[in-house]
Amino acid sequence: MKGYYDLHIHTAASPCGDELMSPHNIVNMAKLNGLDIIAITDHQTSCNVQAVQSVGAQNGLLVIPGIEIECIEEFHLIALLPSCEAAHEIEADVRKNMLKVKNKPEVFGHQYCFDDQSEVIDELEDFLLVATCQTAYDITKKVLAMGGVIYPAHIDRASYSIISQLGVLPEKPFFTALEISKTAHLVQYRQQYHEHHIIQSSDAHYLQDINKRRQFIELPEVSIEALFSWFKQLV
Ligand SMILES: [Zn+2]
Ligand SMILES: [Zn+2]
């Protein structure tokens, strides 16, 4: 079956995420768009994965706990974890290795954490758009050891992408997947990087940017196990 997905969505916990990016709004928009699977991937935090997963479960939408990590090499990685607890553990590791800078909500935006009623229950004080001092190598090893999936984000972009920072990709099979932006040419990237899975997600910071029912993965069923085992297969 085809599992329609968007595996890169920000909530209002990301300073750059719109304040309307609440658990209910995200789940409702994903459902309206006909998606089967989404991942919540805020910058350096997983504070909203549980709330969105809970709302998703009530509405027949699979929500994968994730986090978008900026490593010391200053590119972004998408980490998807098998549980909210595992995502929180990765977050704790990332955050304890970050320079502490206070957010200025009036300049950068609020960093809201929600409960499963989409009520704001907390606001993160440490600014999240700061790189962790961990290397991509160390982060990747840890995520894989926890049964997760990890791959470079938006590789077609001129900033914060592995190619803009390093110029090349590491040898396969270090990463089995690569993410491209919504505007990138999927067929072209599939041809160019034919030894990798190519994921095309929205990197939505606003509700209207969430993927429509277009990008899909062929899966035996819509489940986290099926999705993760697909990622682990080499193309
Ligand atoms: Zn990014
Ligand atoms: Zn992002």
Side-chain angles (χ1 to χ4, degrees):
M1 65 173 290
K2 290 180 168 69
Y4 289 90
Y5 70 86
D6 189 344
L7 301 178
H8 188 159
I9 298 177
H10 292 266
T11 72
S14 294
C16 39
D18 190 55
E19 288 178 23
L20 290 175
M21 296 300 270
S22 70
H24 281 84
N25 284 345
I26 290 170
V27 168
N28 288 338
M29 185 58 87
K31 291 292 292 180
L32 274 175
N33 288 357
L35 301 184
D36 303 301
I37 311 168
I38 65 167
I40 295 302
T41 55
D42 281 305
H43 293 291
Q44 318 290 57
T45 186
S46 60
C47 76
N48 285 326
V49 295
Q50 202 127 26
V52 186
Q53 195 175 59
S54 157
V55 177
Q58 291 160 26
N59 290 279
L61 179 71
L62 178 63
V63 178
I64 313 290
I67 180 166
E68 180 170 21
I69 303 169
E70 185 178 338
C71 56
I72 197 167
E73 296 93 338
E74 292 187 318
F75 63 83
H76 291 177
L77 291 155
I78 297 296
L80 307 178
L81 281 309
S83 67
C84 295
E85 293 69 30
H88 298 328
E89 196 176 325
I90 291 295
E91 171 184 0
D93 217 34
V94 163
R95 297 274 299 279
K96 79 169 187 263
N97 289 292
M98 269 166 67
L99 202 63
K100 292 239 176 295
V101 179
K102 286 265 170 280
N103 185 30
K104 290 183 183 165
E106 67 285 5
V107 178
F108 303 113
H110 292 280
Q111 301 180 152
Y112 288 140
C113 301
F114 297 97
D115 65 11
D116 59 10
Q117 303 298 311
S118 293
E119 296 291 338
V120 174
I121 51 165
D122 197 9
E123 179 161 7
L124 302 175
E125 287 190 357
D126 293 337
F127 187 45
L128 297 173
L129 298 184
V130 175
T132 179
C133 294
Q134 294 176 296
T135 64
Y137 179 84
D138 287 340
I139 294 164
T140 299
K141 289 285 173 201
K142 173 132 194 181
V143 169
L144 294 178
M146 292 177 79
V149 163
I150 185 162
Y151 49 92
H154 41 67
I155 63 159
D156 51 297
R157 286 209 200 137
S159 56
Y160 300 112
S161 83
I162 188 169
I163 295 183
S164 73
Q165 298 307 105
L166 305 183
V168 287
L169 289 174
E171 297 271 308
K172 223 184 82 160
F174 195 72
F175 295 115
T176 63
L178 304 170
E179 184 201 78
I180 57 168
S181 310
K182 241 178 130 168
T183 50
H185 198 291
L186 181 59
V187 175
Q188 205 176 342
Y189 275 91
R190 277 204 180 126
Q191 282 166 356
Q192 187 175 351
Y193 297 103
H194 55 88
E195 292 188 318
H196 295 80
H197 291 304
I198 302 294
I199 296 294
Q200 189 166 37
S201 291
S202 69
D203 195 6
H205 289 70
Y206 293 85
L207 288 169
Q208 63 267 28
D209 294 333
I210 292 174
N211 273 4
K212 304 286 189 289
R213 191 178 167 86
R214 192 162 75 87
Q215 290 80 1
F216 66 86
I217 295 169
E218 202 62 57
L219 294 170
E221 60 176 27
V222 173
S223 70
I224 198 161
E225 295 76 18
L227 180 70
F228 281 21
S229 79
W230 177 83
F231 267 105
K232 284 166 198 200
Q233 291 160 18
L234 297 180
V235 180

